[in-house]
Amino acid sequence: MSAVLKPSPLQFRPMAEADLDAILEIESAAYEFPWTLAIFQDCLRVGYCCWLLERNCRVTGYGVMSVGAGESHILNLCICPELQGMGLGRSLLEYLLEVARAHKADVVFLEVRPSNEIAKRLYLGAGFDEVGMRRNYYPAAFGREDAIIMARSLS
Ligand SMILES: CC(C)(COP(=O)(O)OP(=O)(O)OC[C@H]1O[C@@H](n2cnc3c(N)ncnc32)[C@H](O)[C@@H]1OP(=O)(O)O)[C@@H](O)C(=O)NCCC(=O)NCCS
């Protein structure tokens, strides 16, 4: 009997300028205060680790991370709203942690809104701990919102 291996519907690949239309569509659907085109362009230009998650060849999510001097910082992690809650965010986060390890990072930082319960659970479940707070970090509907700083050791 011979087994036929099905190709995985999930693929990770580096983000390119040509992907930014699809990314901005997801970004504006997923966030109340989305990043602009210029922010994504800057991230690509300065050489941040910018990765796409594709499902059945369609852009489904993305992550942006800076790496340097043994530290890594996840700046954006997003899954398109209609495919959230299916394990894709966890897969993308695990992939970014592998990328950080490959760049010899010992620790990964990120910020998250206290109101973003889903993201907080994702990060706590992935081994991140709360290590600090940035006051009035994010824009919010009425004023500003603090950011929880989270960190995870990779060593
Ligand atoms: C946060 C985000 C990336 C999570 O991705 P996702 O694909 O929806 O999450 P997953 O299905 O992989 O779930 C991972 C964990 O998140 C938490 N989670 C997911 N959906 C949840 C829900 N509806 N309620 C509570 N917790 C939830 C759970 O802890 C889950 O782990 P579990 O399945 O073991 O319980 C995604 O919701 C998203 O893109 N949100 C908008 C952008 C954003 O807020 N990004 C984070 C900025 S800091």
Side-chain angles (χ1 to χ4, degrees):
M1 200 167 81
S2 62
V4 179
L5 293 179
K6 276 193 187 168
S8 166
L10 295 185
Q11 300 281 342
F12 296 95
R13 70 167 171 85
M15 187 188 290
E17 187 95 21
D19 299 309
L20 292 182
D21 282 350
I23 287 169
L24 282 174
E25 205 171 305
I26 297 173
E27 176 79 9
S28 58
Y31 286 107
E32 194 179 352
F33 298 93
W35 278 12
T36 60
L37 173 64
I39 295 175
F40 283 104
Q41 286 172 328
D42 280 349
C43 290
L44 288 171
R45 188 175 45 78
V46 300
Y48 286 167
C49 301
C50 302
W51 284 87
L52 286 187
L53 172 58
E54 287 187 326
R55 184 169 174 268
N56 297 324
C57 300
R58 288 198 53 196
V59 178
T60 297
Y62 45 87
V64 176
M65 184 173 68
S66 66
V67 195
E71 287 186 3
S72 191
H73 201 131
I74 295 176
L75 304 167
N76 198 338
L77 179 86
C78 189
I79 299 295
C80 67
E82 60 273 27
L83 294 173
Q84 290 175 5
M86 297 171 53
L88 300 177
R90 183 179 300 284
S91 298
L92 180 55
L93 178 59
E94 291 299 336
Y95 190 82
L96 290 183
L97 296 181
E98 283 307 312
V99 172
R101 276 192 194 94
H103 282 84
K104 308 269 186 274
D106 300 316
V107 60
V108 180
F109 292 98
L110 57 81
E111 281 89 22
V112 62
R113 289 177 188 263
S115 62
N116 194 343
E117 289 297 336
I118 293 179
K120 276 194 300 182
R121 278 187 197 218
L122 166 64
Y123 300 137
L124 288 170
F128 283 80
D129 294 313
E130 295 188 17
V131 295
M133 184 78 85
R134 293 190 204 283
R135 296 285 168 207
N136 300 319
Y137 186 74
Y138 291 112
F142 300 99
R144 310 280 302 175
E145 183 173 0
D146 296 340
I148 299 170
I149 306 169
M150 302 187 91
R152 189 200 141 151
S153 167
L154 294 179
S155 49

